[in-house]
Amino acid sequence: MPFSPRLTCLSLLNLNKPKTTHHLKQIHAQLITNSLTSPSLLAKLIDQYCAVSSFPHAHLVLKHFGNPNLLLLNTLIRCTRPKHSILVFANWVSKEETLSFDDFTYIFVIGACARAPSLSTLWEGRQIHGRVLKRGVVSNILVQTTTIHFYASNKDVYSARRVFDEMAVRSNVTWNAMITGYCSQRERTKECARDALSLFRDMLADVCGLKPTDTTMVCILSAASQMGVLETGACVHGYIEKTVCVPENDVFIGTGLVDMYSKCGCLESALSVFRRMKDRNVLTWTAMATGLAIHGRGKEALELLDAMGAYGVKPNAVTFTSLLSACCHVGLVEEGLHLFDKMKSNFCVMPGMQHYGCMVDLLGRAGHLKEAYEFVMGMPIEPDAILWRSLLSACKVHGDVAMGEKVGKLLLQRQPEKSAVDVIVRSEDYVALSNVYASAERWEHVEIVREDMKIKKIENKPGCSSVQTMNNCLLDAL
Protein backbone atom coordinates (compact mmCIF):
# COMPACT_ATOMS: atom_id res chain seq x y z
CA MET A 1 0.00 0.00 0.00
CA PRO A 2 1.52 3.39 -1.03
CA PHE A 3 2.44 5.91 1.67
CA SER A 4 -0.31 8.50 2.29
CA PRO A 5 0.67 11.62 4.26
CA ARG A 6 -2.99 12.48 4.76
CA LEU A 7 -3.84 9.14 6.33
CA THR A 8 -0.69 9.25 8.44
CA CYS A 9 -1.52 12.70 9.85
CA LEU A 10 -5.13 11.72 10.38
CA SER A 11 -4.05 8.59 12.27
CA LEU A 12 -1.69 10.62 14.44
CA LEU A 13 -4.43 13.14 15.29
CA ASN A 14 -6.88 10.35 16.14
CA LEU A 15 -4.51 8.58 18.55
CA ASN A 16 -5.85 8.54 22.09
CA LYS A 17 -2.49 9.05 23.76
CA PRO A 18 -1.83 12.57 25.15
CA LYS A 19 -0.22 15.01 22.73
CA THR A 20 2.03 17.99 23.39
CA THR A 21 2.16 21.28 21.54
CA HIS A 22 5.52 20.24 20.06
CA HIS A 23 4.00 17.00 18.73
CA LEU A 24 1.06 18.85 17.19
CA LYS A 25 3.37 21.42 15.56
CA GLN A 26 5.24 18.56 13.87
CA ILE A 27 1.96 17.21 12.47
CA HIS A 28 1.00 20.75 11.45
CA ALA A 29 4.32 21.12 9.60
CA GLN A 30 3.67 17.87 7.72
CA LEU A 31 0.27 19.15 6.63
CA ILE A 32 1.83 22.35 5.28
CA THR A 33 4.71 20.51 3.60
CA ASN A 34 2.36 18.12 1.81
CA SER A 35 -0.19 20.85 0.96
CA LEU A 36 -2.91 19.03 2.90
CA THR A 37 -5.75 21.53 3.35
CA SER A 38 -8.70 19.25 3.98
CA PRO A 39 -11.11 21.18 6.29
CA SER A 40 -11.97 18.02 8.24
CA LEU A 41 -8.27 17.34 8.88
CA LEU A 42 -7.54 20.92 9.91
CA ALA A 43 -10.61 20.95 12.15
CA LYS A 44 -9.15 17.99 14.05
CA LEU A 45 -5.87 19.86 14.37
CA ILE A 46 -7.67 22.91 15.82
CA ASP A 47 -9.47 20.65 18.25
CA GLN A 48 -6.19 19.07 19.38
CA TYR A 49 -4.44 22.43 19.76
CA CYS A 50 -7.26 23.68 21.99
CA ALA A 51 -7.16 20.45 24.01
CA VAL A 52 -3.58 21.27 25.07
CA SER A 53 -4.43 24.97 25.56
CA SER A 54 -2.33 26.04 22.59
CA PHE A 55 -4.90 28.56 21.43
CA PRO A 56 -2.61 30.85 19.35
CA HIS A 57 -1.66 27.91 17.13
CA ALA A 58 -5.34 26.99 16.74
CA HIS A 59 -6.00 30.55 15.55
CA LEU A 60 -3.15 30.26 13.04
CA VAL A 61 -4.73 27.19 11.44
CA LEU A 62 -7.85 29.20 10.62
CA LYS A 63 -5.90 32.33 9.65
CA HIS A 64 -3.60 30.54 7.16
CA PHE A 65 -6.27 28.36 5.60
CA GLY A 66 -6.88 30.86 2.83
CA ASN A 67 -10.53 30.92 1.91
CA PRO A 68 -13.01 31.42 4.80
CA ASN A 69 -14.30 28.07 5.99
CA LEU A 70 -17.31 27.69 8.28
CA LEU A 71 -16.28 24.26 9.64
CA LEU A 72 -12.93 25.61 10.86
CA LEU A 73 -14.54 28.74 12.32
CA ASN A 74 -17.19 26.72 14.17
CA THR A 75 -14.56 24.32 15.50
CA LEU A 76 -12.43 27.19 16.82
CA ILE A 77 -15.43 28.87 18.47
CA ARG A 78 -16.50 25.58 20.04
CA CYS A 79 -13.09 24.52 21.35
CA THR A 80 -11.29 27.67 22.46
CA ARG A 81 -11.79 29.56 25.72
CA PRO A 82 -15.15 31.33 26.12
CA LYS A 83 -13.78 34.86 25.91
CA HIS A 84 -11.67 33.94 22.89
CA SER A 85 -14.70 32.32 21.25
CA ILE A 86 -16.66 35.56 21.56
CA LEU A 87 -13.74 37.59 20.16
CA VAL A 88 -13.34 35.21 17.20
CA PHE A 89 -17.04 35.53 16.43
CA ALA A 90 -16.92 39.33 16.74
CA ASN A 91 -13.94 39.53 14.36
CA TRP A 92 -15.82 37.52 11.76
CA VAL A 93 -19.07 39.47 12.00
CA SER A 94 -17.75 42.07 9.55
CA LYS A 95 -16.86 39.23 7.13
CA GLU A 96 -20.30 37.60 7.25
CA GLU A 97 -20.92 38.59 3.63
CA THR A 98 -18.20 36.14 2.54
CA LEU A 99 -19.00 33.53 5.20
CA SER A 100 -22.58 33.11 6.34
CA PHE A 101 -22.97 31.79 9.88
CA ASP A 102 -25.14 28.75 10.45
CA ASP A 103 -27.10 27.48 13.47
CA PHE A 104 -24.02 25.77 14.93
CA THR A 105 -22.10 29.06 14.93
CA TYR A 106 -24.73 30.68 17.11
CA ILE A 107 -25.07 27.60 19.33
CA PHE A 108 -21.33 27.56 20.03
CA VAL A 109 -20.89 31.30 20.60
CA ILE A 110 -23.98 31.64 22.83
CA GLY A 111 -22.73 28.58 24.71
CA ALA A 112 -19.41 30.40 25.19
CA CYS A 113 -21.31 33.36 26.69
CA ALA A 114 -23.03 30.94 29.07
CA ARG A 115 -19.72 29.44 30.21
CA ALA A 116 -18.22 32.83 31.09
CA PRO A 117 -21.01 34.70 32.88
CA SER A 118 -20.27 38.35 33.65
CA LEU A 119 -21.84 41.73 33.03
CA SER A 120 -19.86 42.18 29.80
CA THR A 121 -20.73 38.68 28.62
CA LEU A 122 -24.41 39.34 29.31
CA TRP A 123 -24.27 42.40 27.07
CA GLU A 124 -22.40 40.52 24.33
CA GLY A 125 -24.79 37.57 24.53
CA ARG A 126 -27.76 39.87 24.15
CA GLN A 127 -26.21 41.35 21.01
CA ILE A 128 -25.69 37.85 19.61
CA HIS A 129 -29.29 36.93 20.51
CA GLY A 130 -30.38 40.01 18.57
CA ARG A 131 -28.49 38.77 15.51
CA VAL A 132 -30.17 35.39 15.90
CA LEU A 133 -33.59 37.07 15.80
CA LYS A 134 -32.55 39.23 12.86
CA ARG A 135 -31.17 36.29 10.83
CA GLY A 136 -34.26 34.16 11.43
CA VAL A 137 -32.56 31.12 12.95
CA VAL A 138 -34.48 31.45 16.20
CA SER A 139 -36.70 28.50 15.30
CA ASN A 140 -33.83 26.08 15.89
CA ILE A 141 -34.59 24.35 19.20
CA LEU A 142 -30.89 23.98 20.06
CA VAL A 143 -30.26 27.70 19.53
CA GLN A 144 -33.22 28.57 21.74
CA THR A 145 -32.26 26.10 24.46
CA THR A 146 -28.67 27.38 24.51
CA THR A 147 -30.01 30.93 24.76
CA ILE A 148 -32.10 29.94 27.80
CA HIS A 149 -29.00 28.43 29.39
CA PHE A 150 -27.03 31.60 28.64
CA TYR A 151 -29.55 33.96 30.23
CA ALA A 152 -30.02 31.74 33.29
CA SER A 153 -26.23 31.45 33.77
CA ASN A 154 -26.05 35.24 33.76
CA LYS A 155 -28.83 35.50 36.40
CA ASP A 156 -31.35 36.91 33.92
CA VAL A 157 -34.11 34.35 34.45
CA TYR A 158 -36.75 36.74 33.16
CA SER A 159 -35.19 36.83 29.69
CA ALA A 160 -34.63 33.08 29.84
CA ARG A 161 -38.30 32.51 30.65
CA ARG A 162 -39.37 34.84 27.85
CA VAL A 163 -37.37 32.78 25.32
CA PHE A 164 -38.84 29.60 26.84
CA ASP A 165 -42.42 30.85 26.61
CA GLU A 166 -41.97 31.89 22.96
CA MET A 167 -40.83 28.40 21.89
CA ALA A 168 -43.34 26.43 19.84
CA VAL A 169 -41.55 23.12 20.39
CA ARG A 170 -39.54 22.09 23.46
CA SER A 171 -37.41 19.07 24.28
CA ASN A 172 -36.49 17.52 27.62
CA VAL A 173 -33.24 19.47 27.44
CA THR A 174 -35.19 22.72 27.06
CA TRP A 175 -37.34 22.05 30.13
CA ASN A 176 -34.25 21.01 32.10
CA ALA A 177 -32.38 24.17 31.08
CA MET A 178 -35.19 26.41 32.34
CA ILE A 179 -35.76 24.45 35.56
CA THR A 180 -32.01 24.32 36.23
CA GLY A 181 -31.84 28.05 35.56
CA TYR A 182 -34.35 28.73 38.31
CA CYS A 183 -32.60 26.41 40.78
CA SER A 184 -29.15 27.88 40.14
CA GLN A 185 -30.03 31.44 41.20
CA ARG A 186 -28.21 32.62 44.33
CA GLU A 187 -30.66 35.46 44.94
CA ARG A 188 -34.42 35.19 45.50
CA THR A 189 -33.90 31.46 46.02
CA LYS A 190 -37.36 30.71 47.40
CA GLU A 191 -39.11 32.69 44.69
CA CYS A 192 -37.08 30.93 41.98
CA ALA A 193 -37.67 27.57 43.68
CA ARG A 194 -41.43 28.17 43.51
CA ASP A 195 -41.12 29.02 39.83
CA ALA A 196 -39.13 25.81 39.24
CA LEU A 197 -41.78 23.70 40.96
CA SER A 198 -44.54 25.46 39.02
CA LEU A 199 -42.70 24.84 35.76
CA PHE A 200 -42.27 21.19 36.68
CA ARG A 201 -46.03 20.96 37.19
CA ASP A 202 -46.52 22.46 33.70
CA MET A 203 -44.11 19.89 32.28
CA LEU A 204 -46.17 17.05 33.72
CA ALA A 205 -49.33 18.53 32.19
CA ASP A 206 -47.75 19.36 28.80
CA VAL A 207 -49.68 17.90 25.86
CA CYS A 208 -46.45 16.80 24.15
CA GLY A 209 -46.09 14.09 26.79
CA LEU A 210 -42.42 14.71 27.60
CA LYS A 211 -41.32 12.81 30.68
CA PRO A 212 -38.94 14.23 33.30
CA THR A 213 -35.43 12.79 33.27
CA ASP A 214 -33.12 12.10 36.17
CA THR A 215 -31.57 15.55 35.58
CA THR A 216 -35.00 17.11 35.97
CA MET A 217 -35.61 15.33 39.24
CA VAL A 218 -32.26 16.35 40.72
CA CYS A 219 -33.16 19.99 40.04
CA ILE A 220 -36.68 19.60 41.46
CA LEU A 221 -35.27 18.04 44.63
CA SER A 222 -32.98 21.07 44.92
CA ALA A 223 -35.99 23.37 44.57
CA ALA A 224 -37.90 21.41 47.21
CA SER A 225 -34.96 21.67 49.62
CA GLN A 226 -34.76 25.44 49.04
CA MET A 227 -38.48 25.74 49.81
CA GLY A 228 -38.15 23.61 52.94
CA VAL A 229 -41.63 22.08 52.50
CA LEU A 230 -41.47 18.43 53.52
CA GLU A 231 -44.80 17.48 51.94
CA THR A 232 -43.66 18.69 48.52
CA GLY A 233 -40.31 16.93 48.81
CA ALA A 234 -41.93 13.66 49.92
CA CYS A 235 -44.32 13.78 46.95
CA VAL A 236 -41.40 14.33 44.58
CA HIS A 237 -39.68 11.34 46.19
CA GLY A 238 -42.77 9.22 45.58
CA TYR A 239 -42.94 10.35 41.95
CA ILE A 240 -39.29 9.37 41.43
CA GLU A 241 -39.96 5.93 42.91
CA LYS A 242 -42.94 5.36 40.61
CA THR A 243 -41.76 6.76 37.30
CA VAL A 244 -38.04 7.55 37.12
CA CYS A 245 -35.78 5.12 38.97
CA VAL A 246 -34.91 3.53 42.27
CA PRO A 247 -33.34 6.51 44.08
CA GLU A 248 -30.79 4.41 45.94
CA ASN A 249 -29.34 3.25 42.60
CA ASP A 250 -28.71 6.79 41.31
CA VAL A 251 -26.01 8.64 43.24
CA PHE A 252 -27.20 12.10 42.16
CA ILE A 253 -30.89 11.57 42.93
CA GLY A 254 -29.95 9.84 46.18
CA THR A 255 -27.77 12.79 47.14
CA GLY A 256 -30.60 15.18 46.26
CA LEU A 257 -32.95 13.24 48.56
CA VAL A 258 -30.45 13.33 51.44
CA ASP A 259 -30.10 17.10 51.01
CA MET A 260 -33.85 17.65 50.67
CA TYR A 261 -34.89 15.63 53.72
CA SER A 262 -32.13 17.22 55.83
CA LYS A 263 -33.15 20.77 54.95
CA CYS A 264 -36.85 19.97 55.35
CA GLY A 265 -36.26 18.86 58.94
CA CYS A 266 -36.60 15.10 58.48
CA LEU A 267 -33.11 13.89 59.36
CA GLU A 268 -34.09 10.27 59.93
CA SER A 269 -35.42 9.99 56.36
CA ALA A 270 -32.16 11.51 55.10
CA LEU A 271 -30.17 8.94 57.08
CA SER A 272 -32.40 6.14 55.77
CA VAL A 273 -31.79 7.13 52.14
CA PHE A 274 -28.06 7.59 52.82
CA ARG A 275 -27.67 4.12 54.33
CA ARG A 276 -29.54 2.42 51.46
CA MET A 277 -27.50 4.07 48.70
CA LYS A 278 -25.22 1.67 46.84
CA ASP A 279 -22.79 4.35 45.67
CA ARG A 280 -21.88 7.57 47.45
CA ASN A 281 -19.66 10.34 46.13
CA VAL A 282 -18.15 13.28 48.01
CA LEU A 283 -21.35 15.30 47.46
CA THR A 284 -23.40 12.57 49.16
CA TRP A 285 -21.15 12.50 52.21
CA THR A 286 -21.09 16.29 52.35
CA ALA A 287 -24.90 16.51 52.16
CA MET A 288 -25.21 14.03 55.02
CA ALA A 289 -22.60 15.86 57.11
CA THR A 290 -24.41 19.13 56.48
CA GLY A 291 -27.71 17.58 57.54
CA LEU A 292 -26.24 16.30 60.78
CA ALA A 293 -24.61 19.70 61.39
CA ILE A 294 -27.76 21.78 61.00
CA HIS A 295 -29.60 19.41 63.35
CA GLY A 296 -26.98 19.78 66.08
CA ARG A 297 -25.50 16.29 65.81
CA GLY A 298 -21.93 17.47 65.50
CA LYS A 299 -20.13 14.40 66.82
CA GLU A 300 -21.89 12.16 64.29
CA ALA A 301 -20.94 14.60 61.53
CA LEU A 302 -17.29 14.38 62.58
CA GLU A 303 -17.48 10.58 62.59
CA LEU A 304 -18.40 10.76 58.91
CA LEU A 305 -14.90 12.03 58.14
CA ASP A 306 -13.37 8.73 59.28
CA ALA A 307 -16.10 6.77 57.50
CA MET A 308 -15.38 8.62 54.26
CA GLY A 309 -11.76 7.53 54.40
CA ALA A 310 -12.80 3.92 54.91
CA TYR A 311 -14.87 4.14 51.70
CA GLY A 312 -12.01 5.76 49.79
CA VAL A 313 -13.73 9.15 49.40
CA LYS A 314 -11.60 12.27 49.92
CA PRO A 315 -13.33 15.26 51.57
CA ASN A 316 -13.29 18.61 49.79
CA ALA A 317 -13.57 22.24 50.92
CA VAL A 318 -17.38 22.07 51.15
CA THR A 319 -17.17 18.96 53.33
CA PHE A 320 -14.92 20.77 55.80
CA THR A 321 -17.26 23.76 55.84
CA SER A 322 -20.08 21.44 56.92
CA LEU A 323 -17.96 19.70 59.55
CA LEU A 324 -16.68 22.97 61.02
CA SER A 325 -20.25 24.24 61.06
CA ALA A 326 -21.20 21.14 63.01
CA CYS A 327 -18.53 21.96 65.58
CA CYS A 328 -19.96 25.50 65.86
CA HIS A 329 -23.50 24.29 66.50
CA VAL A 330 -22.45 21.90 69.26
CA GLY A 331 -19.57 23.91 70.73
CA LEU A 332 -16.82 21.39 69.99
CA VAL A 333 -13.94 23.86 70.23
CA GLU A 334 -11.02 21.44 70.53
CA GLU A 335 -12.43 19.18 67.82
CA GLY A 336 -12.94 22.18 65.53
CA LEU A 337 -9.39 23.45 66.01
CA HIS A 338 -8.01 19.96 65.39
CA LEU A 339 -10.14 19.58 62.26
CA PHE A 340 -9.01 22.96 60.93
CA ASP A 341 -5.38 21.92 61.34
CA LYS A 342 -6.01 18.58 59.60
CA MET A 343 -7.53 20.27 56.54
CA LYS A 344 -4.21 21.34 55.11
CA SER A 345 -1.80 18.88 56.75
CA ASN A 346 -3.74 15.63 56.21
CA PHE A 347 -6.07 16.38 53.29
CA CYS A 348 -4.26 19.16 51.37
CA VAL A 349 -7.37 21.37 51.41
CA MET A 350 -6.46 25.06 51.65
CA PRO A 351 -8.73 26.97 54.07
CA GLY A 352 -10.98 29.58 52.47
CA MET A 353 -12.92 32.50 53.88
CA GLN A 354 -15.83 30.24 54.81
CA HIS A 355 -13.54 28.03 56.91
CA TYR A 356 -12.00 31.00 58.71
CA GLY A 357 -15.51 32.27 59.31
CA CYS A 358 -16.52 28.97 60.92
CA MET A 359 -13.51 29.12 63.23
CA VAL A 360 -14.26 32.69 64.34
CA ASP A 361 -17.88 31.70 64.92
CA LEU A 362 -16.76 28.63 66.90
CA LEU A 363 -14.39 30.61 69.14
CA GLY A 364 -16.84 33.47 69.51
CA ARG A 365 -19.74 31.24 70.57
CA ALA A 366 -17.53 29.60 73.17
CA GLY A 367 -16.58 33.00 74.61
CA HIS A 368 -12.94 32.88 73.50
CA LEU A 369 -13.14 36.41 72.10
CA LYS A 370 -9.48 37.30 72.51
CA GLU A 371 -8.44 34.09 70.71
CA ALA A 372 -10.96 34.81 67.97
CA TYR A 373 -9.63 38.34 67.48
CA GLU A 374 -6.04 37.12 67.35
CA PHE A 375 -7.10 34.39 64.91
CA VAL A 376 -8.60 37.03 62.59
CA MET A 377 -5.55 39.28 62.80
CA GLY A 378 -3.29 36.32 61.96
CA MET A 379 -5.23 35.24 58.87
CA PRO A 380 -3.15 35.05 55.67
CA ILE A 381 -6.05 36.57 53.71
CA GLU A 382 -7.96 39.81 54.24
CA PRO A 383 -10.97 39.17 56.51
CA ASP A 384 -14.32 40.20 55.08
CA ALA A 385 -17.10 42.16 56.77
CA ILE A 386 -19.17 39.04 57.48
CA LEU A 387 -16.36 37.59 59.57
CA TRP A 388 -16.03 40.79 61.63
CA ARG A 389 -19.81 40.91 62.13
CA SER A 390 -19.73 37.38 63.50
CA LEU A 391 -17.14 38.41 66.08
CA LEU A 392 -19.09 41.57 66.94
CA SER A 393 -22.21 39.50 67.54
CA ALA A 394 -20.26 37.22 69.88
CA CYS A 395 -19.00 40.27 71.80
CA LYS A 396 -22.59 41.39 72.39
CA VAL A 397 -23.68 37.91 73.53
CA HIS A 398 -20.82 37.63 76.02
CA GLY A 399 -20.96 41.26 77.15
CA ASP A 400 -17.39 42.17 76.15
CA VAL A 401 -17.96 45.85 75.43
CA ALA A 402 -14.27 46.73 75.00
CA MET A 403 -13.73 44.09 72.33
CA GLY A 404 -17.09 44.89 70.75
CA GLU A 405 -16.17 48.57 70.50
CA LYS A 406 -12.84 47.71 68.86
CA VAL A 407 -14.44 45.37 66.32
CA GLY A 408 -17.36 47.72 65.68
CA LYS A 409 -15.06 50.63 64.87
CA LEU A 410 -13.07 48.39 62.51
CA LEU A 411 -16.30 47.54 60.72
CA LEU A 412 -17.35 51.18 60.40
CA GLN A 413 -13.95 52.04 58.95
CA ARG A 414 -14.68 49.53 56.17
CA GLN A 415 -17.96 51.28 55.34
CA PRO A 416 -18.04 53.06 51.96
CA GLU A 417 -19.31 56.62 51.99
CA LYS A 418 -22.33 57.61 49.94
CA SER A 419 -21.24 59.25 46.72
CA ALA A 420 -22.64 60.55 43.48
CA VAL A 421 -23.15 56.99 42.29
CA ASP A 422 -25.22 56.34 45.46
CA VAL A 423 -23.14 53.66 47.14
CA ILE A 424 -25.38 51.91 49.65
CA VAL A 425 -24.06 52.09 53.22
CA ARG A 426 -25.09 49.18 55.41
CA SER A 427 -27.01 50.08 58.57
CA GLU A 428 -26.45 46.72 60.29
CA ASP A 429 -22.96 47.58 61.52
CA TYR A 430 -24.11 50.81 63.15
CA VAL A 431 -27.07 49.07 64.78
CA ALA A 432 -24.85 46.22 66.01
CA LEU A 433 -22.36 48.62 67.63
CA SER A 434 -25.24 50.57 69.14
CA ASN A 435 -26.64 47.35 70.63
CA VAL A 436 -23.25 46.50 72.17
CA TYR A 437 -23.26 49.89 73.93
CA ALA A 438 -26.90 49.45 74.96
CA SER A 439 -26.22 46.04 76.52
CA ALA A 440 -23.66 47.78 78.79
CA GLU A 441 -26.07 50.71 79.41
CA ARG A 442 -23.64 53.17 77.85
CA TRP A 443 -26.47 55.32 76.53
CA GLU A 444 -24.33 58.33 75.67
CA HIS A 445 -22.38 56.18 73.18
CA VAL A 446 -25.65 54.79 71.80
CA GLU A 447 -26.76 58.38 71.16
CA ILE A 448 -23.46 59.16 69.40
CA VAL A 449 -23.85 56.20 67.03
CA ARG A 450 -27.49 57.02 66.30
CA GLU A 451 -26.65 60.67 65.68
CA ASP A 452 -23.87 59.63 63.30
CA MET A 453 -26.44 57.58 61.37
CA LYS A 454 -28.72 60.61 61.09
CA ILE A 455 -25.91 62.86 59.87
CA LYS A 456 -24.91 60.31 57.21
CA LYS A 457 -28.60 59.68 56.37
CA ILE A 458 -28.26 55.96 57.01
CA GLU A 459 -31.68 54.42 57.40
CA ASN A 460 -32.32 51.26 59.38
CA LYS A 461 -33.88 48.50 57.30
CA PRO A 462 -37.30 47.36 58.56
CA GLY A 463 -37.67 43.72 59.52
CA CYS A 464 -40.03 41.37 57.73
CA SER A 465 -41.29 37.81 57.95
CA SER A 466 -42.91 35.42 55.49
CA VAL A 467 -45.34 32.54 55.72
CA GLN A 468 -44.77 29.46 53.57
CA THR A 469 -47.82 27.75 52.07
CA MET A 470 -47.86 24.34 50.43
CA ASN A 471 -48.09 24.15 46.63
CA ASN A 472 -51.28 22.07 46.38
CA CYS A 473 -51.35 22.28 42.58
CA LEU A 474 -47.96 20.56 42.39
CA LEU A 475 -49.06 17.88 44.85
CA ASP A 476 -52.17 17.20 42.76
CA ALA A 477 -50.04 16.91 39.60
CA LEU A 478 -47.76 14.39 41.29
Side-chain angles (χ1 to χ4, degrees), residues 59 84-96 101:
H59 281 258
H84 293 169
S85 298
I86 299 167
L87 288 174
V88 169
F89 176 81
N91 290 334
W92 278 84
V93 166
S94 60
K95 306 174 186 178
E96 195 175 0
F101 302 141

Side-chain angles (χ1 to χ4, degrees), residues 441-449:
E441 299 184 357
R442 290 170 56 175
W443 305 113
E444 67 281 3
H445 291 90
V446 173
E447 184 63 27
I448 292 172
V449 173

